[in-house]
């Protein structure tokens, strides 16, 4: 299938229902129900569900443009997570609930978009549980306009087997794709702003110092895209080194990308009414979610050091094969 | 933005070249000390290059009718990756295989193709690239070396500098001015093949800070060249050089310059530290491994654009800038790790390797276009200039 054909209707839907004012309304405590209803009725939520279970039977790699679009908008609902959760539930023969489903890979840190979820798929290290959100006693963090919540209660509900790499590996790869989408949007916004904003008699984008900052941002954007694509290329059973490479590259790029976007925009980028912050605030949350670069670096490094192979052979076998 | 720059994979048929390349490397480079391997780009062995040619590993992207292998850029990626990761001495055939032969194929006359390309594919015609001059480094439009038309040929005068391996090479492809002045910038530039044995050519090695002399300066004093020295069209040297630089910048070369040091350090850590004591270095190893994997995927994505017949100037600039930053990061963090364990013995061989790479690393972001020039190219590609 031509993925552009898939992306266009999806993007049209996003443009119609996840406008910056709708995103703000949800962040301010508004009802996300109507927005979710549009996603639920679109059919896209079963993109990864096998055809025999009524889905489209697509792979994670197939839907990469959709995941990036969700990150670029940025959608205040766990849409990417729901798509994966529904596929895992379908594979396990469990009925899929109607609402947005969160993926919970740890109880210590807040989970982005939790405020908008009705259910959660929780990895307890041994198996997955499908739990209604209320059962997990979600607690808001108090961070301004954040939809993240801490989920501490022991999960209950229907059980299913963990994927080979655990839920955290898939979740990290989804974060990588969302980061890549936001990175591309921020690079576009910053480049356009630099070409329009006049200081000292010319657009700031004519200044070599600004050009070089944006060139590095462009490099980070491409690195994020390609690392995310690498992460998505293995399907739902993501090997640890693959998830690690994707999340390390994208998480490590987040502070640079956000900093450059804000530096180029100047003070207006900090203001609540300007859309830039919708993306940069989200980027920092995604960086922390499901393991930061430091978490995955320690795992990846330990695995690498346990092997006598030369670097290129190890990377080819463990990440590219 | 840059929508075609997306993940690609190496075809199985090209992956299968690895074991044969490894056999040759083992035969030829066995027993080379690590600090010699770390010189890979600078390692000059005409014998090794001829062996690669005889076994069919040069001219991989070139047509069979000129002695090439008709296989395309992915096969070159695999072979180059193997050579550089092993630290094989590639300098003798490096420029000819990567740049000169494709340039002659694309712009040369049929006579030039038949004369030069088969010998390049056999590893027998060694080329250097004459772009830089005193006063014109990255600013190639400032080239002042001049060739004048004279009696059905050319008379060449001027000077090139920072020319890699001119001392050992047979030919130089020189960017020279054939009309106008440097005030005309890109206009009036042409590319000429210069036989370095011709009367009037003087080559002087330049010793660098590591004690090596891979750079040279080359003087042209009334050098007489035939009409057939011109490649392509007179006055189109700039356009040709731009395309040539895409070949120079788009390969996997821009990731692997420090990889011999990286592997030597990993072996050192594995043999020196208890498994529990490796925990404090794991995040650094993980960071390096992830960046290496991402860069490799970016480089394969760039190679895919070459394989699609494009001239991926932008993609190549992005990979080269990020890649050379990675190459330059390695000696810094590895040096810090080794010296952060001052009571852990480091072999002289590893120490020499570390210092060699540390000292030569500034050149990684100079050769083939400086970092600042590349960022200007990327910014233009983003619509900022």
């Amino acid at each position: 299938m031509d993925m552009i054909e898939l992306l266009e209707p999806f993007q049209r839907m996003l443009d119609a229902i996840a406008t910056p004012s709708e995103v703000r309304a949800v962040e301010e405590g508004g009802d996300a129900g109507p927005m979710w209803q549009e996603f639920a009725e679109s059919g896209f939520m079963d993109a990864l569900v096998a055809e025999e279970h009524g889905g489209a039977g697509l792979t994670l790699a197939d839907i990469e443009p959709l995941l990036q679009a969700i990150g670029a908008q940025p959608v205040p609902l766990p849409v990417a997570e729901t798509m994966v959760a529904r596929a895992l539930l379908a594979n396990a023969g469990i009925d899929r609930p109607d609402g947005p489903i969160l993926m919970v890979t740890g109880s210590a840190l807040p989970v982005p978009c939790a405020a908008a979820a009705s259910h959660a798929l929780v990895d307890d290290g041994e198996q997955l549980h499908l739990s209604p959100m209320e059962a997990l006693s979600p607690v808001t963090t108090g961070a301004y306009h954040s939809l993240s919540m801490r989920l501490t209660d022991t999960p209950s509900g229907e059980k299913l087997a963990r994927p080979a790499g655990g839920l955290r590996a898939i979740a990290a790869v989804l974060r990588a794709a969302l980061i890549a989408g936001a990175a591309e949007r921020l690079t576009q916004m910053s480049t356009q702003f630099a070409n329009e904003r006049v200081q000292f008699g010319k657009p700031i984008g004519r200044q070599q110092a600004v050009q070089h900052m944006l060139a590095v941002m462009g490099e980070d954007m491409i690195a994020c895209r390609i690392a995310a694509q690498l992460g998505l290329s293995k399907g739902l059973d993501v090997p640890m080194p693959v998830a690690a490479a994707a999340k390390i590259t994208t998480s490590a790029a987040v502070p640079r990308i956000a900093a450059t976007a804000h530096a180029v925009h100047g003070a207006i980028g900090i203001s609540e009414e300007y859309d830039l912050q919708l993306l940069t605030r989200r980027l920092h949350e995604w960086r922390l979610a499901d393991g930061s670069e430091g978490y995955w670096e320690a795992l990846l490094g330990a695995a690498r050091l346990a092997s006598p192979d030369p670097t290129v052979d190890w990377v080819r076998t463990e990440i590219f094969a | 933005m840059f929508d075609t720059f997306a993940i690609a994979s190496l075809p199985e048929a090209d992956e299968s070249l690895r074991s044969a390349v490894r056999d040759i490397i083992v035969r030829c480079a066995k027993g080379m000390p690590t600090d010699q391997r770390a010189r890979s780009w600078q390692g000059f062995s005409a014998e090794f290059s001829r062996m690669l040619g005889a076994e069919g590993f040069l001219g991989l992207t070139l047509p069979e009718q000129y002695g090439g292998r008709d296989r395309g850029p992915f096969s070159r990626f695999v072979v180059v990756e193997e050579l550089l990761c092993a630290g094989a001495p590639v300098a003798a055939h490096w420029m000819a295989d990567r740049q000169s032969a494709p340039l002659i194929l694309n712009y040369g006359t049929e006579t030039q193709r038949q004369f030069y390309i088969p010998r390049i594919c056999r590893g027998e015609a060694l080329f250097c690239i004459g772009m830089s001059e005193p006063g014109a480094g990255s600013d190639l439009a400032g080239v002042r070396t001049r060739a004048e038309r004279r009696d059905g040929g050319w008379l060449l005068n001027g000077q090139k500098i920072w020319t890699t391996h001119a001392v050992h090479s047979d030919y130089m492809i020189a960017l020279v001015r054939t009309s106008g002045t440097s005030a005309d910038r890109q206009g009036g530039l042409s590319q000429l093949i210069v036989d370095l044995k011709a009367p009037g050519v003087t080559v002087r090695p330049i010793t660098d800070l590591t004690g090596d002399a891979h750079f040279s300066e080359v003087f042209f004093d009334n050098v007489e060249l035939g009409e057939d020295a011109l490649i392509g069209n007179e006055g189109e040297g700039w356009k040709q050089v731009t395309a040539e630089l895409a070949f120079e910048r788009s390969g996997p070369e821009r990731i692997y310059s420090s990889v011999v040091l990286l592997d030597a350090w990993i072996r050192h850590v594995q043999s020196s530290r208890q498994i529990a004591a490796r925990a404090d270095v794991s995040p650094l190893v993980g960071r390096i491994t992830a960046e290496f994997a991402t860069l490799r995927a970016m480089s394969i994505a760039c190679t895919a654009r070459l394989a699609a017949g494009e001239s991926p100037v932008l993609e190549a600039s992005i990979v080269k800038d990020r890649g050379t930053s990675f190459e330059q990061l390695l000696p810094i963090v590895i040096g810090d790790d080794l010296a952060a364990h001052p009571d852990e013995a480091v072999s002289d061989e590893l120490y020499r390797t570390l210092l060699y790479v540390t000292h030569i690393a500034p050149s990684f972001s100079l050769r083939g276009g400086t970092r600042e020039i590349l960022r200007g190219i990327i910014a233009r590609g983003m619509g900022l200039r």
Side-chain angles (χ1 to χ4, degrees), chain A residues 89-120:
Chain A
L89 292 169
N91 289 345
I94 295 173
D95 284 346
R96 311 190 281 278
D98 292 333
I101 309 171
L102 207 61
M103 297 205 310
V104 181
T105 65
S107 57
L109 282 178
V111 185
C113 281
S118 70
H119 287 75

Side-chain angles (χ1 to χ4, degrees), chain A residues 219-220 229 249 307 311 313, chain B residues 7 22 263 270 294 321-322:
Chain A
E219 291 174 18
D220 266 330
Q229 290 176 342
T249 296
S307 163
T311 300
D313 286 348
Chain B
I7 199 167
R22 282 186 189 197
D263 280 336
Q270 288 169 333
T294 299
D321 187 28
R322 194 171 173 107

Side-chain angles (χ1 to χ4, degrees), chain A residues 132-181:
Chain A
M133 283 294 284
E134 314 86 77
L136 299 170
S137 312
V139 181
T140 51
T141 65
Y144 189 66
H145 281 184
S146 169
L147 300 169
S148 296
M149 294 179 115
R150 203 185 301 277
L151 306 155
T152 47
D153 260 7
T154 316
S156 53
E158 288 205 76
K159 298 184 183 77
L160 53 155
R162 290 171 94 223
L167 208 53
R168 192 173 277 171
I170 307 178
V173 163
L174 291 184
R175 300 291 174 211
L178 296 173
I179 290 172

Side-chain angles (χ1 to χ4, degrees), chain A residues 184 191 195 205 211-212 214 216 219-220 223 225 229-230 249 297 300-301 305 307 311-313 316 320, chain B residues 1-2 5 7 18 22 81 263 270 278 282-283 286 293-294 296 321-322 372 375 378 382-385:
Chain A
E184 172 148 6
T191 304
N195 275 331
Q211 289 174 0
H212 287 196
L214 286 166
V216 173
E219 291 174 18
D220 266 330
R225 176 193 299 168
Q229 290 176 342
L230 195 56
T249 296
E297 282 166 2
L300 182 65
L305 283 172
S307 163
T311 300
V312 72
D313 286 348
R316 279 176 44 232
F320 284 83
Chain B
M1 210 179 262
F2 312 143
F5 203 173
I7 199 167
R18 286 184 199 279
R22 282 186 189 197
E81 180 172 66
D263 280 336
Q270 288 169 333
R278 290 179 200 164
S282 288
T294 299
R296 184 174 189 268
D321 187 28
R322 194 171 173 107
E372 290 68 27
R375 290 186 179 170
I378 297 165
M382 294 170 75
L384 286 160
R385 291 173 65 195

Side-chain angles (χ1 to χ4, degrees), chain B residues 36-269:
Chain B
Q36 285 305 314
R37 290 176 188 269
R39 283 166 158 81
S40 195
W41 281 54
Q42 267 76 52
F44 191 96
S45 169
E47 183 199 355
F48 180 67
S49 294
R50 279 198 300 274
M51 199 187 290
L52 282 179
E55 300 278 345
F57 294 115
L58 299 183
L60 288 160
T61 65
L62 302 169
E64 281 183 15
Q65 65 179 119
Y66 303 114
R69 300 288 157 172
D70 244 340
R71 297 193 63 133
F74 286 121
S75 65
R76 184 175 181 277
F77 182 99
V78 168
V79 171
V80 166
E81 180 172 66
E82 287 295 324
L83 292 171
L84 294 179
C85 288
V90 297
H93 67 267
W94 201 231
M95 309 291 180
D97 180 63
R98 179 175 70 193
Q99 292 167 245
S100 310
L103 179 80
I104 293 168
L105 180 72
N106 290 341
Y107 296 105
T109 62
E110 188 54 33
T111 311
Q112 287 170 333
R113 291 175 185 166
Q114 289 181 9
F115 182 73
Y116 293 107
I117 299 177
R119 288 193 294 148
I120 290 174
C121 294
R122 292 196 300 267
E124 290 170 1
L126 312 185
F127 278 70
C128 61
I129 305 298
M131 290 194 193
S132 290
E133 292 188 8
S138 286
D139 182 11
L140 289 177
V143 157
R144 281 181 297 192
T145 293
R146 178 174 289 275
E148 288 175 25
R149 278 202 183 275
R150 188 72 62 90
D151 307 331
W154 301 91
L155 189 68
L156 181 65
N157 279 288
Q159 180 192 352
K160 292 288 172 183
I161 195 166
W162 314 124
T163 314
T164 300
H165 285 304
V167 175
H168 305 294
S169 296
D170 304 306
Y171 303 100
M172 172 192 283
I173 294 187
L175 181 68
V176 304
R177 189 158 286 288
T178 45
S179 66
T181 68
S182 52
D184 296 320
R185 305 296 296 164
Q186 290 124 346
L189 295 172
S190 306
Q191 286 185 295
L192 297 181
I193 303 184
V194 183
D195 183 342
L196 294 172
K197 312 284 190 302
V201 177
T202 308
V203 182
R204 270 191 218 143
I206 301 171
T207 302
D208 70 26
L209 78 177
T210 71
D212 292 350
H214 62 277
F215 285 140
S216 309
E217 41 185 356
V218 184
F219 300 88
F220 307 114
D221 180 13
N222 287 316
V223 179
E224 293 179 14
L225 301 172
E227 176 65 31
D228 59 354
L230 179 71
I231 303 184
N233 295 320
E234 185 184 344
E236 295 194 1
W238 182 265
K239 190 186 91 185
Q240 295 173 199
V241 158
T242 305
E244 184 184 344
L245 284 168
F247 284 114
E248 172 160 2
R249 292 169 183 158
S250 59
E253 290 92 325
R254 310 302 172 162
I255 307 173
Y256 296 109
S257 297
S258 307
V259 76
V260 170
L261 170 64
L262 172 62
D263 280 336
W265 171 62
I266 298 267
R267 287 194 303 273
H268 166 88
V269 170

